Amino acid sequence: MLETKTERVCGCAHDPATFAARVEQSCARDGVQLTPLRRRVLDIFSGSAGPLGAYAILEALSRREGKQVAPPTVYRTLDFLLEHGFVHKIESLNAYAPCEHLGHAHHGMLAVCDACGRSEEIEDEAVMRAIAATAAGSGFMPRTVMVEAKGLCRRCAEREAGATAHHRNPGVASSTSAPSGSRK
Amino acid sequence: MLETKTERVCGCAHDPATFAARVEQSCARDGVQLTPLRRRVLDIFSGSAGPLGAYAILEALSRREGKQVAPPTVYRTLDFLLEHGFVHKIESLNAYAPCEHLGHAHHGMLAVCDACGRSEEIEDEAVMRAIAATAAGSGFMPRTVMVEAKGLCRRCAEREAGATAHHRNPGVASSTSAPSGSRK
DNA sequence: CTCCGCACTGTTATAACATAACAGTCTGCC
DNA sequence: GGCAGACTGTTATGTTATAACAGTGCGGAG
């Protein structure tokens, strides 16, 4: 149980560091215009350990550009990235995370760790099928479906279990290394 | 397949008009303090056809009280109602809706109609089981799970189908009438 | 009865998230 | 050149949410 690379059926890489590069390839292939600005935002995602709020991106961007960037610039870029499925919005966090399954449609759930703030995209057709079936049963016709779970990722769950093996403790890490982007 | 009253296993009433009264009973039974302010907010939910934004509640409350109410008042009340499971937050709308399954834990999905703006709470253990299983498979330990679907409710889907019986059918409402509670 | 703590509400200010509207720039094309 | 379109810049503002502290009312301990 030591692998950090989450290997899955689809064979996706899930490597944040190469995220921007992979999107770039995808754009080149599809004739989608990946401008310098958009590329820089992708780089910011690549360098982040967790989901980023729009204003976190804004700050990072301003730092990188050396001059103040305004909100619309960021939101427009996010719109582009969302539209092409390169990032997802995490509604419960008002934050954005790079898509871990570039190329496939997004049929998964988003799992957000309360301790480390990272998010993880878990693909599973069974969940989506169950949702579709349930919706159909009540006459509802879904157009988009969002599944977000909060809890502890494998790593943090193990750390908790180890750290408090005998005692017990308040489920949620306090100031445990919250990566850059996480708020709340 | 003709019933409009969504009758479900649990036998819940789902009647907005009696919502406040039912919460009141629940509070009385459990020794939970339902103050006049909280009761008024419940009444506002009872009188609404769809989910309400915090600031919509704020306006309704201000109107009802005859004087301006400040945001913290509303948010504190919502905190109380959320905490006790009397209302749910719809993250994808930043809005709040009365719980349709008072008394049970919330093990369902929220279906929001793009056309009429109403939300509907669909209970289904199968979905939650599938999610739990999927999460477990990847080592994630969920604490809270949120499922939100957007699309067309039975009623609006039927209306659409009727309106455009012979021609196009993409299943997705365009700019169809949006009512009271819905924003954006 | 007084004092104290607690739960609730009021009030002011501000933070955090998001968009509208319009202006400027750059590029490719006729 | 001149135009159209896509992209970005800029200013202003709208919307959602919280921090911090003050007041009020009530019940219990002393």
Side-chain angles (χ1 to χ4, degrees):
Chain A
M1 256 334 148
L2 265 203
E3 46 160 15
T4 26
K5 288 272 153 60
T6 13
E7 186 73 42
R8 291 192 196 93
V9 200
C10 62
C12 284
H14 307 318
D15 182 0
T18 66
F19 170 68
R22 282 179 289 133
V23 170
E24 193 163 41
Q25 282 170 19
S26 167
C27 286
R29 177 163 29 79
D30 302 350
V32 170
Q33 193 170 352
L34 189 61
T35 65
L37 172 66
R38 288 165 181 172
R39 173 67 209 225
R40 279 195 295 275
V41 171
L42 289 174
D43 283 338
I44 288 167
F45 275 112
S46 276
S48 152
L52 292 171
Y55 280 67
I57 295 169
L58 189 151
E59 281 173 38
L61 201 51
S62 296
R63 235 178 292 118
R64 193 174 286 217
E65 312 260 289
K67 64 175 183 180
Q68 187 62 22
V69 163
T73 300
V74 170
Y75 281 103
R76 277 192 294 237
T77 306
L78 285 173
D79 283 345
F80 167 85
L81 298 174
L82 287 167
E83 202 165 285
H84 289 83
F86 300 142
V87 306
H88 299 300
K89 175 165 190 185
I90 305 178
E91 297 285 354
S92 56
L93 253 49
N94 292 322
Y96 305 81
C99 177
E100 296 179 354
H101 296 268
L102 291 173
H104 342 176
H106 172 59
H107 289 310
M109 56 185 274
L110 251 128
V112 180
C113 180
D114 292 323
C116 69
R118 287 178 168 80
S119 71
E120 179 181 359
E121 211 177 319
I122 309 175
E123 295 282 311
D124 193 320
E125 282 296 336
V127 171
M128 294 302 143
R129 268 200 308 277
I131 290 172
T134 298
S138 83
F140 190 86
M141 285 182 42
R143 191 176 46 84
T144 65
V145 173
M146 182 209 92
V147 182
E148 292 178 12
K150 293 192 188 177
L152 292 181
C153 68
R154 181 196 296 270
R155 196 132 57 94
C156 291
E158 283 168 356
R159 189 185 314 121
E160 291 253 322
T164 65
H166 37 55
H167 198 213
R168 130 162 247 307
N169 111 352
V172 171
S174 37
S175 56
T176 327
S177 67
S180 47
S182 74
R183 282 129 320 94
K184 286 238 148 88
Chain B
M1 268 278 191
L2 267 202
E3 45 164 14
T4 25
K5 285 271 152 56
T6 14
E7 187 71 40
R8 292 190 197 94
V9 201
C10 63
C12 283
H14 306 316
D15 181 0
T18 66
F19 170 67
R22 282 179 288 133
V23 170
E24 192 163 41
Q25 281 171 19
S26 167
C27 286
R29 178 164 26 78
D30 303 349
V32 170
Q33 194 171 349
L34 188 61
T35 64
L37 173 65
R38 290 164 180 172
R39 172 67 209 226
R40 279 194 295 274
V41 171
L42 289 174
D43 283 338
I44 288 167
F45 276 114
S46 277
S48 152
L52 292 171
Y55 280 68
I57 295 170
L58 189 152
E59 281 173 38
L61 201 50
S62 296
R63 235 178 293 120
R64 195 174 286 219
E65 311 260 291
K67 65 173 183 184
Q68 187 60 22
V69 163
T73 301
V74 170
Y75 281 102
R76 277 191 295 238
T77 307
L78 285 172
D79 283 346
F80 167 86
L81 298 175
L82 288 166
E83 202 164 283
H84 289 82
F86 300 143
V87 306
H88 299 300
K89 176 165 189 183
I90 306 179
E91 296 286 352
S92 56
L93 252 43
N94 292 320
Y96 306 82
C99 177
E100 297 180 352
H101 297 266
L102 292 174
H104 342 177
H106 174 58
H107 290 311
M109 56 184 272
L110 251 126
V112 180
C113 180
D114 292 323
C116 70
R118 286 178 168 81
S119 71
E120 179 181 359
E121 212 177 319
I122 309 176
E123 295 283 310
D124 193 321
E125 282 296 336
V127 171
M128 295 302 143
R129 269 199 309 274
I131 290 172
T134 297
S138 81
F140 189 86
M141 284 183 43
R143 193 175 44 83
T144 65
V145 173
M146 215 159 29
V147 182
E148 293 178 13
K150 293 192 189 178
L152 292 181
C153 68
R154 180 198 294 272
R155 195 132 57 92
C156 292
E158 283 169 356
R159 191 186 311 121
E160 290 253 323
T164 65
H166 38 55
H167 200 213
R168 76 164 244 127
N169 85 0
V172 172
S174 36
S175 57
T176 336
S177 70
S180 51
S182 73
R183 280 132 321 90
K184 284 240 149 88

